[in-house]
Amino acid sequence: MPRVTISEIARRAGVSKTAVSFAFNNPSRLSEATAKNILAIAEELGFVPNPVARSMSTGRTGAIGVLVPQPLPEVFRNPFLPAFLEGVGEICTKARLSLMLAPPIEGSMRRAIDNAAVDGFLTLGLEEFKSTMVVLRQRGVPYVTVDSDPIEGAPGVNVDDEGGACSVMRHVLAAGHREIVIIAIRSGKQAHFREYVGTLRNRINGYLAALDEIGATIDGRKVRLLESPATEQGGREAMIRVMKATRKPTAIVAMSDIIAIGAMREAIDRGVDLPKDMSFAGFDDVPLAAWARPPLTTVAQPACRKGQLAAELLLQRLEGKSDAVHYLLPAELVVRSSVAAR
Amino acid sequence: MPRVTISEIARRAGVSKTAVSFAFNNPSRLSEATAKNILAIAEELGFVPNPVARSMSTGRTGAIGVLVPQPLPEVFRNPFLPAFLEGVGEICTKARLSLMLAPPIEGSMRRAIDNAAVDGFLTLGLEEFKSTMVVLRQRGVPYVTVDSDPIEGAPGVNVDDEGGACSVMRHVLAAGHREIVIIAIRSGKQAHFREYVGTLRNRINGYLAALDEIGATIDGRKVRLLESPATEQGGREAMIRVMKATRKPTAIVAMSDIIAIGAMREAIDRGVDLPKDMSFAGFDDVPLAAWARPPLTTVAQPACRKGQLAAELLLQRLEGKSDAVHYLLPAELVVRSSVAAR
DNA sequence: TTGTAAGCGTTATCAA
DNA sequence: TTGATAACGCTTACAA
């Protein structure tokens, strides 16, 4: 804790606290001499204004929070987050805002939201969507949702998950695959895929739409669904489950590149010849995807752009401008060579 | 801003502010009935305690800051940071602390430090080392340095940069390379490599030690030094400079994997046959390194572990325990195939 | 140009 | 079991 306060400076300089405050925030309102003197004394005493006290007074913290759906370690194991934060960071830097990461506290979003000393929130792929929205509204600071169902009254940024998912599944089907395992991102609460919400639901819907075009669906036999954390390790473990089953798919379609990459690694380690014996497709187009062997066919989404846009929207809200705009960014199929013809 | 305050609750419940505070933080000190009543009213009014006011009163923010040396966008373009934050996040999660990212504000570390409402700092690879330390000390909160010269009075975590750098350079030299370009991480202030400090200096010293063993040094002719931001783009641009020069090296030794990978990409795009025509080595062993083509020979450093350790040290400091321990973690040469025999 | 004093919303001390 | 009341350190009308 900073020991020396403005009162101390004021005492030593023989002025009031106001003067000290002015010297720092509004020097033009003081005579040059006194301002200089105050600053000198402050410097000498090593005075640092207490940021909490300042926030208390101004009602502003100068920070925005990013509400992430999983604990920090897990969420940083997916390269999507850094890309997103790169975009957020760009806007924050310009606006001189700092960035607070707010993961669920002991599983509770409410506590994360209530504890964070921030001026606003960016929410990323919320799981307990509706209840979190209630808490957020209650908290009384502006927020912008990313990768959640558009909500009335709050700006949001989404990508065309359904379209992207549909196009990648079409690509896989067009290559002749019929025995497919879809690896979904494991959501906090277990739910049947028909009950997915937000991004998860949109992607599943995209897959289903493409499957439907050839009269297929997720039937648990030819086309199956697995869930996995969005980490490389999660992908590996999903693959282990796949390899254990008697029925082997010819293609894996993962909802996240990092899952696909983990699964590929595990497959390679087990001697599967990719993509000849098994095809893979992902979602996100993280940098790794282009480098993977075989290079991963996936859906590109503008992660960094999403961050920028979301942060910009929040900024506008903080400044009182802007109403609840909703962006829908395109998602684009990126064909590489991890999906082989069957 | 949360609209309803404890005073409001107190009024409505016909009790004092103290009682309301107790109902939340110390219910056992109230009769069950009143506590219940207060909580009910608070719930009904959608009361959320103001975290800033709480911090003001308790003197604790419940957050720690990570001081990064560059603006957020740049620093997130290097996969090293997420790995580090994964480790930090693990400890934070356990200790219920949130994580604040504190990049330089308008180039000023001092402002970053003074503005951040946190209970302590982790500093990552400081550039203006000494002056920042002064500010940090003045700020009066505990801190732990990572990738900086050990400082008396503050715990620190480092890896054996010199040893790691030495071993990778030895490896390159043993492969017969004599025309080498070293790509250093660009530091904020330009300085001759003899004036580097901290991690940069240690790595350079490692390279120099290995070179010295065969009677070579950084002479600007056979062995040259370039600087680049630690991003893929930075690596690409460095490579462009390399290709422009009349004298082409047979090997590139980069201080960061992401630089090496960017350089490799650029080289490949320009039709250079890797590693036959040009060898590459990096530092860090980020996940990408193993996937790169050719797989990148590099020095593995325990990024995540560093984060854990640093966070743990800070935690202990926050709890008043522990003195200024300094960890030195091993760095290990990882031979893949990006360095070809000459 | 400078000072007084009233907040800001909690927590914590000490009485009652 | 509860309540006044004083911090906490700063900003900011409003006065002088």
Side-chain angles (χ1 to χ4, degrees):
Chain A
M1 323 112 204
R3 226 135 298 125
V4 21
T5 70
I6 52 167
S7 312
E8 173 78 1
I9 310 284
R11 234 172 25 80
R12 300 247 198 168
V15 297
S16 73
K17 293 195 297 175
T18 314
V20 180
S21 182
F22 281 160
F24 279 87
N25 307 318
N26 222 341
S28 64
R29 289 192 50 177
L30 255 39
S31 81
E32 207 170 309
T34 40
K36 214 167 192 167
N37 182 237
I38 292 172
L39 259 15
I41 296 191
E43 171 73 37
E44 184 199 327
L45 264 51
F47 167 71
V48 176
N50 179 329
V52 176
R54 176 186 305 229
S55 296
M56 180 87 221
S57 212
T58 59
R60 280 222 158 205
T61 64
I64 67 172
V66 175
L67 230 46
V68 296
Q70 270 98 31
L72 251 20
E74 182 169 337
V75 86
F76 269 121
R77 268 182 231 127
N78 185 347
F80 169 79
L81 185 68
F84 177 76
L85 292 178
E86 185 187 325
V88 176
E90 196 175 303
I91 307 305
C92 285
T93 302
K94 282 187 198 150
R96 299 203 215 164
L97 288 171
S98 15
L99 226 177
M100 171 132 239
L101 265 13
I105 297 182
E106 262 148 41
S108 156
M109 258 338 194
R110 143 151 260 145
R111 298 174 64 169
I113 293 169
D114 289 354
N115 278 329
V118 296
D119 296 330
F121 286 104
L122 256 34
T123 76
L124 196 51
L126 288 183
E127 305 206 323
E128 306 279 355
F129 183 62
K130 277 155 67 178
S131 60
T132 305
M133 282 301 148
V134 173
V135 177
L136 225 30
R137 206 178 318 253
Q138 214 170 272
R139 174 66 157 76
V141 302
Y143 57 94
V144 174
T145 68
V146 178
D147 285 348
S148 291
D149 293 324
I151 201 97
E152 187 134 14
V157 178
N158 278 278
V159 299
D160 180 14
D161 288 298
E162 182 164 347
C166 182
S167 59
V168 71
M169 183 59 89
R170 264 196 200 129
H171 175 77
V172 168
L173 294 171
H177 297 276
R178 289 302 178 267
E179 300 264 344
I180 298 170
V181 167
I182 294 170
I183 310 182
I185 297 171
R186 194 197 55 201
S187 156
K189 58 171 174 188
Q190 292 293 344
H192 187 265
F193 70 87
R194 298 272 175 208
E195 271 125 40
Y196 281 173
V197 294
T199 297
L200 251 52
R201 185 207 52 221
N202 294 338
R203 293 192 187 168
I204 280 289
N205 282 351
Y207 294 151
L208 285 171
L211 287 166
D212 191 55
E213 291 169 359
I214 60 145
T217 188
I218 302 177
D219 57 6
R221 309 180 62 80
K222 297 186 90 168
V223 182
R224 279 164 290 156
L225 185 89
L226 242 55
E227 292 186 347
S228 142
T231 61
E232 183 172 331
Q233 188 55 31
R236 292 192 94 114
E237 283 161 10
M239 196 50 166
I240 293 173
R241 280 182 280 159
V242 168
M243 299 298 279
K244 268 200 192 126
T246 46
R247 195 156 189 165
K248 301 279 184 305
T250 65
I252 305 284
V253 176
M255 271 200 195
S256 161
D257 282 356
I258 196 69
I259 292 178
I261 285 166
M264 280 172 65
R265 276 212 147 160
E266 187 65 33
I268 291 168
D269 287 355
R270 289 164 175 258
V272 182
D273 185 12
L274 310 192
K276 197 169 75 57
D277 293 346
M278 202 178 280
S279 290
F280 287 81
F283 205 112
D284 286 346
D285 196 25
V286 299
L288 247 174
W291 287 92
R293 288 299 116 164
L296 184 64
T297 290
T298 186
V299 178
Q301 66 158 321
C304 177
R305 183 87 195 103
K306 275 162 85 175
Q308 289 178 345
L309 234 37
E312 274 167 4
L313 286 173
L314 182 56
L315 228 69
Q316 291 172 5
R317 284 249 135 173
L318 289 176
E319 288 161 0
K321 317 175 203 165
S322 120
D323 21 38
V325 194
H326 290 270
Y327 284 103
L328 184 67
L329 304 177
E332 194 182 341
L333 178 66
V334 178
V335 177
R336 295 202 178 96
S337 46
S338 60
V339 177
R342 193 72 197 168
Chain B
M1 323 109 206
R3 225 134 297 124
V4 21
T5 71
I6 52 166
S7 312
E8 172 79 2
I9 311 284
R11 233 171 26 79
R12 298 248 200 168
V15 297
S16 73
K17 294 195 296 176
T18 314
V20 180
S21 183
F22 279 158
F24 279 88
N25 307 318
N26 222 342
S28 64
R29 289 193 51 178
L30 255 38
S31 80
E32 206 170 312
T34 39
K36 214 166 194 166
N37 183 238
I38 293 172
L39 258 15
I41 295 189
E43 171 74 37
E44 185 199 328
L45 264 52
F47 166 72
V48 177
N50 179 329
V52 176
R54 182 191 302 246
S55 296
M56 179 87 217
S57 207
T58 59
R60 280 220 159 207
T61 63
I64 66 171
V66 175
L67 230 44
V68 296
Q70 270 97 30
L72 251 20
E74 182 170 337
V75 85
F76 269 122
R77 268 183 231 127
N78 185 348
F80 169 79
L81 185 67
F84 177 77
L85 291 178
E86 186 186 324
V88 176
E90 197 175 302
I91 308 305
C92 285
T93 302
K94 281 187 198 149
R96 299 204 214 162
L97 287 171
S98 11
L99 223 172
M100 171 133 241
L101 264 15
I105 296 182
E106 263 148 39
S108 155
M109 258 340 194
R110 142 152 261 144
R111 298 174 63 168
I113 292 169
D114 288 355
N115 277 330
V118 296
D119 297 330
F121 286 104
L122 256 33
T123 76
L124 196 50
L126 288 183
E127 306 205 324
E128 306 279 354
F129 183 63
K130 277 156 66 180
S131 60
T132 305
M133 282 301 149
V134 173
V135 177
L136 227 29
R137 206 178 319 250
Q138 215 170 269
R139 174 67 156 76
V141 303
Y143 57 93
V144 174
T145 68
V146 178
D147 285 347
S148 292
D149 292 324
I151 201 96
E152 187 135 13
V157 178
N158 278 278
V159 299
D160 180 15
D161 288 298
E162 182 163 347
C166 182
S167 60
V168 71
M169 183 59 88
R170 264 197 201 129
H171 175 76
V172 168
L173 294 172
H177 297 276
R178 289 301 178 268
E179 300 264 344
I180 298 171
V181 167
I182 295 171
I183 310 182
I185 297 171
R186 195 198 54 204
S187 157
K189 57 170 173 188
Q190 293 293 345
H192 187 265
F193 70 87
R194 297 273 175 206
E195 271 124 39
Y196 282 174
V197 295
T199 297
L200 251 51
R201 186 207 52 221
N202 294 338
R203 292 192 189 168
I204 281 289
N205 282 351
Y207 295 150
L208 286 171
L211 287 166
D212 191 54
E213 290 169 359
I214 61 145
T217 188
I218 302 177
D219 57 6
R221 309 179 63 79
K222 297 186 90 168
V223 181
R224 278 165 291 155
L225 185 91
L226 243 56
E227 292 187 347
S228 142
T231 61
E232 184 173 329
Q233 187 56 29
R236 292 191 93 113
E237 284 162 9
M239 196 51 174
I240 294 172
R241 281 181 280 159
V242 168
M243 299 298 279
K244 269 200 193 125
T246 46
R247 193 157 188 164
K248 302 279 185 303
T250 65
I252 305 283
V253 176
M255 271 200 195
S256 161
D257 281 356
I258 197 69
I259 292 178
I261 285 166
M264 280 172 65
R265 277 210 146 159
E266 187 65 33
I268 291 170
D269 287 356
R270 289 165 174 256
V272 182
D273 185 13
L274 309 192
K276 195 168 76 56
D277 293 347
M278 202 178 280
S279 290
F280 287 81
F283 205 113
D284 286 346
D285 196 26
V286 300
L288 248 174
W291 288 92
R293 288 299 115 165
L296 183 64
T297 289
T298 185
V299 178
Q301 65 157 321
C304 177
R305 183 87 194 103
K306 275 162 86 175
Q308 289 178 346
L309 232 37
E312 273 167 5
L313 286 174
L314 182 55
L315 229 69
Q316 290 170 5
R317 285 248 135 171
L318 288 176
E319 289 161 358
K321 316 174 203 163
S322 120
D323 21 37
V325 194
H326 291 270
Y327 284 103
L328 184 68
L329 271 29
E332 194 183 342
L333 177 67
V334 178
V335 177
R336 297 203 177 95
S337 45
S338 60
V339 176
R342 194 69 197 172

